[in-house]
Amino acid sequence: MTMTDGTIRSDWTIAEIVDLHNLPLLDLVGRANAVHRQYHDPSKVQKASLLSIKTGGCPEDCAYCPQSAHHREVDLTRDRLMRPESVVAMAATAKAAGAERFCMGAAWRQVRDGRDFDAVIEMVKGVRALNMEACVTLGMLQPHQAERLADAGLTAYNHNIDTSPEFYNRIITTRTYEERLDTLATVRSFGIDVCSGGIIGMGETIHDRASMLQVLAAFDPHPESVPINALVPVAGTPLANRPLIDPLELVRMVATARLVMPTSTVRLSAGRSNLNREAQILCLAAGANSLFYGDTLLTTPNAGIGEDAELFSAIGPIDTDCGLHPGLPDANSGLYEDMRQAT
Ligand code: SAM
Ligand code: DTB
Ligand code: SF4
């Protein structure tokens, strides 16, 4: 059986990754948790907030994406690039709510030099001045543009490979897999952290999921950040009618990502609003160490901050004064008496 002792490798085979993914669930989660604890503080979960700084009208045809101009039936209001002052003010609000990282997404095929890119540079500087990590996702990037972002203090650049090389053409036809990998190489060559992951639930097989992880794990060093998204099926997109994945598929994907990329920050990303508290906690035990925090992702709803407060309270330490978990009723309340009488 494939070793899972936390050795850092960039030569994983797809077959090895499939084997890990298909382990009995509790064995998989147990192994992933052990590797997670080797490299990460298991009680620390980074909160990252997302903002769509330029919404809709994108020339790419990504089948999952509500922001593609190809999917005319989607009910989405397009918006021009936001002003840097407004973006930085929203980052400050996110920070006050507990976010440590601020991710700004633009529905662009690629970055173009000019006023808009100058404004993004201001946003990055403003977010960094708040002492937050700054991440942007702006599409394809040229070396001189990566250099400007690095000089502005950008922490990470998000550019997902989305799925396996084999399944990719079923999802996107307007940009090649190679172009994505080129952008990631450019990002890395300027010392910016690579944030790259993908989406499950688009109709791909387990082999495709393993193949996607194999591409990511072949990076040396591994991407610093790996977002694992579950498809949010949006009305009007070609994937609108895809059934929601079983939450345990997300648990398996997170655990497998953790095993093959032991030191990366694995982010439990889109699709969390379809997971109950317990499924999310299972993902955290399986090696996720960040989640998107805030009421919206880019254009779709996220698990709300209120629900997240409950999640964080549930995974925190128990109050030793009363010996009870905050979510449970007080032992002296009538509830336990009622339960005893009922049995
Ligand atoms: N336009 C840029 C690009 O694609 O590189 C950046 C923004 S794009 C919206 C960022 C990522 O969001 C995509 O690569 C995809 O992985 C994820 N995403 C978009 N729509 C999604 C959906 N409906 N469900 C899950 N993830 C989604
Ligand atoms: C990532 O992997 N997931 C985030 C972030 N990187 C930019 C985006 C999720 C978007 C979900 C669909 C939407 O809200 O538009
Ligand atoms: Fe455009 Fe990015 Fe959406 Fe693809 S995922 S359509 S590139 S915004």
Side-chain angles (χ1 to χ4, degrees):
M1 179 62 216
T2 308
M3 281 185 12
T4 52
D5 62 358
T7 306
I8 313 287
R9 297 172 45 190
S10 290
D11 61 351
W12 291 96
T13 64
I14 297 176
E16 281 178 307
I17 300 176
V18 169
D19 280 352
L20 291 177
H21 177 280
N22 292 349
L23 280 169
L25 184 68
L26 298 181
D27 187 12
L28 172 63
V29 172
R31 290 182 196 218
N33 185 260
V35 169
H36 186 57
R37 298 172 75 90
Q38 235 175 293
Y39 293 99
H40 306 271
D41 176 351
S43 62
K44 169 110 188 53
V45 180
Q46 189 193 50
K47 297 174 183 134
S49 285
L50 267 175
L51 177 66
S52 179
I53 57 172
K54 185 268 166 184
T55 305
C58 182
E60 302 271 350
D61 68 352
C62 312
Y64 50 76
C65 187
Q67 303 202 65
S68 165
H70 294 257
H71 315 324
R72 292 166 190 276
E73 303 299 309
V74 175
D75 178 18
L76 179 76
T77 311
R78 293 183 183 186
D79 248 327
R80 297 221 304 260
L81 186 69
M82 290 176 66
R83 295 196 351 238
E85 309 83 80
S86 317
V87 172
V88 177
M90 292 185 81
T93 305
K95 181 179 175 173
E100 296 158 68
R101 184 172 173 110
F102 198 65
C103 307
M104 297 161 272
W108 289 334
R109 169 178 161 74
Q110 70 212 72
V111 174
R112 289 180 201 283
D113 298 318
R115 273 221 323 252
D116 279 359
F117 187 44
D118 295 347
V120 172
I121 296 291
E122 286 315 302
M123 295 173 198
V124 171
K125 288 182 178 163
V127 172
R128 295 295 286 139
L130 293 170
N131 264 327
M132 298 179 87
E133 294 181 8
C135 178
V136 291
T137 178
L138 313 170
M140 291 186 285
L141 195 63
Q142 300 301 313
H144 69 280
Q145 298 164 336
E147 187 173 22
R148 280 191 72 194
L149 287 166
D151 289 347
L154 185 71
T155 313
Y157 194 87
N158 169 246
H159 198 64
N160 289 339
I161 57 169
D162 279 343
T163 189
S164 68
E166 302 79 26
F167 190 67
Y168 183 84
N169 292 342
R170 303 265 301 274
I171 301 298
I172 299 140
T173 69
T174 50
R175 178 196 313 183
T176 66
Y177 212 75
E178 272 311 310
E179 285 173 315
R180 290 189 185 250
L181 296 175
D182 287 349
T183 291
L184 293 174
T186 301
V187 165
R188 178 150 273 173
S189 69
F190 286 92
I192 301 169
D193 281 359
V194 167
C195 175
S196 189
I199 309 175
I200 64 168
M202 300 191 293
E204 74 289 337
T205 61
I206 289 173
H207 188 276
D208 287 314
R209 294 178 190 178
S211 171
M212 177 183 100
L213 291 178
Q214 194 265 337
V215 173
L216 295 171
F219 278 79
D220 183 11
H222 294 153
E224 287 75 15
S225 163
V226 178
I228 303 291
N229 297 274
L231 175 72
V232 180
V234 179
T237 64
L239 300 183
N241 297 322
R242 290 292 325 162
L244 291 177
I245 57 155
D246 180 332
L248 295 179
E249 295 185 63
L250 202 49
V251 175
R252 282 189 180 277
M253 192 65 182
V254 165
T256 312
R258 167 53 66 231
L259 286 171
V260 299
M261 291 172 280
T263 61
S264 303
T265 297
V266 175
R267 299 181 191 276
L268 178 55
S269 304
R272 203 161 62 81
S273 54
N274 295 317
L275 264 52
N276 67 15
R277 190 182 64 163
E278 290 71 20
Q280 293 181 59
I281 291 173
L282 210 41
C283 288
L284 298 176
N289 46 356
S290 168
L291 38 81
F292 282 126
Y293 182 65
D295 293 331
T296 45
L297 292 164
L298 290 175
T299 66
T300 63
N302 193 18
I305 284 191
E307 290 159 49
D308 283 345
E310 238 190 79
L311 173 70
F312 282 105
S313 142
I315 61 176
I318 288 183
D319 176 354
T320 43
D321 281 346
C322 70
L324 275 177
H325 190 277
L328 295 176
D330 189 298
N332 297 323
S333 78
L335 181 62
Y336 285 119
E337 194 48 43
D338 295 348
M339 283 160 57
R340 271 192 291 272
Q341 279 171 9
T343 51

